Structures are given as C-alpha cells and as structure tokens.
C-alpha cells in the first residue's frame, strides 16, 4: 500500500466536508455539523484564510483529512500547530496513512520553526490515545478544554 499526503486544494473541499461528516458521525455529533462547502473554502482559501487542510491517500484513494491552524504559545513565544481534526476512515486505519499525516504535520511545524503540536482527544477514544502515545505524544495534564458558544456566548457578550 502506498500512502501519500498533500495539501488540499479548493477543489478538494467537497471531499473534506464528506470526511468531516464521517468524523462527526463517528463521534456521535453529526447533528452538530453546520459547516458548508462555501465556509470551508472561505476559511481555507479566502482572503482571510485561517485554516489549512491536508488529505491522505492510500493507493490513490483519499481516506483521511486534517484541519490545522497556528496558535500562539505565550510561554514559549512561538506559534504551535493546533490540530483541529485528524480523521482516517475505519477501513484505512492501520495502513500507515495516519502516521504519514502526523509526519507531514510535524514536518510543517519544523519547517515553520513552530514550538510543537497540540490537539484534543475525546476521553473515550482509547484507540486514538494509543495511536498518539505510540508516536511519542504525551497527555497535557491539568488542561481541560472549555467551550463558550450559543446562548451562553451571547449572554457573556451582552454584559
């Protein structure tokens, strides 16, 4: 099997959205997906682009995607790569495409002289923990992701 990773192009937006929906379904959150092809295209390729996307293929067939962006690490004074999504279709797990995706992301971090990579893992996703820990990633103890959105966000903004 041959694994390849490449930057997504604007023509790839439909496949990214399809894979994103698969990820949401896997996580039991398909009903929360609101993003459209137009929004993905705007955020990845528009004049104020704020994300980048990678696609992973096995034997020429796209089976994975990643969405990432830089965020500033105040302690180190440098950018970090924040990995918003990394998804590999179940049938392609174990082929090496996930490792190839992480390798490309690590190469981007090194090329840009960023401090490192960070991401979240759903607490129930033991397979993901095994995969990432197998690469040498460690759990960032003491940090819990918080979210403020919807009506709560509106209330805070109105104060």
């Amino acid at each position: 099997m041959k694994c390849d990773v490449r930057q997504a192009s604007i023509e790839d937006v439909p496949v990214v959205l399809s894979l994103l929906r698969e990820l949401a379904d896997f996580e039991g959150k398909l009903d929360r997906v609101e993003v459209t092809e137009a929004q993905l295209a705007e955020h990845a390729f528009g004049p104020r682009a704020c994300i980048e996307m990678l696609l992973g293929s096995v034997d020429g067939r796209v089976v994975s995607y990643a969405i990432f962006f830089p965020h500033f690490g105040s302690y180190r004074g440098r950018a970090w790569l924040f990995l918003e999504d990394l998804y590999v279709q179940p049938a392609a797990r174990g082929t090496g495409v996930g490792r190839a995706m992480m390798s490309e992301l690590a190469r981007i971090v090194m090329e840009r002289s960023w401090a490192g990579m960070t991401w979240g893992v759903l607490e129930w996703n033991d397979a993901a923990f095994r995969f990432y820990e197998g690469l040498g990633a460690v759990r960032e103890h003491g940090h819990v992701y918080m979210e403020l959105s919807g009506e709560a966000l509106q209330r805070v903004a109105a104060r």
Side-chain angles (χ1 to χ4, degrees):
M1 288 187 197
K2 184 174 187 248
C3 298
D4 292 303
V5 177
R6 65 175 173 83
Q7 289 278 340
S9 69
I10 196 162
E11 291 80 19
D12 295 315
V13 168
V15 74
V16 172
L17 183 56
S18 176
L19 290 166
L20 187 151
R21 288 180 186 280
E22 286 183 33
L23 171 62
D25 190 42
F26 171 76
E27 293 180 350
K29 299 178 182 177
L30 186 56
D31 60 326
R32 295 186 190 179
V33 175
E34 298 177 12
V35 68
T36 65
E37 287 182 13
Q39 288 170 319
L40 272 179
E42 178 67 22
H43 292 301
F45 305 105
R48 294 188 312 222
C50 59
I51 63 169
E52 295 179 61
M53 302 184 298
L54 297 178
L55 291 176
S57 300
V58 175
D59 295 333
R61 186 175 158 268
V62 175
V63 296
S64 67
Y65 83 100
I67 292 177
F68 66 96
F69 52 89
H71 78 102
F72 183 72
S74 58
Y75 288 2
R76 293 203 186 166
R78 295 189 311 183
W80 283 70
L81 183 149
F82 186 86
L83 181 57
E84 177 66 23
D85 292 341
L86 174 61
Y87 176 70
V88 176
Q89 290 178 320
R93 294 177 189 160
T95 63
V97 72
R99 183 174 290 272
M101 296 284 283
M102 290 297 288
S103 181
E104 178 62 14
L105 291 163
R107 188 195 64 72
I108 290 168
V109 168
M110 300 297 293
E111 180 181 272
R112 297 178 186 182
S113 298
W114 290 354
M117 298 169 51
T118 189
W119 60 91
V121 178
L122 292 171
E123 61 189 1
W124 54 261
N125 195 342
D126 293 330
F129 282 112
R130 284 191 303 276
F131 171 72
Y132 293 128
E133 289 170 347
L135 296 175
V138 296
R139 297 179 196 208
E140 180 64 34
H141 295 288
H143 286 244
V144 175
Y145 290 110
M146 302 292 292
E147 180 179 303
L148 185 64
S149 62
E151 291 180 18
L153 177 66
Q154 292 171 10
R155 282 193 306 274
V156 171
R159 291 184 188 170

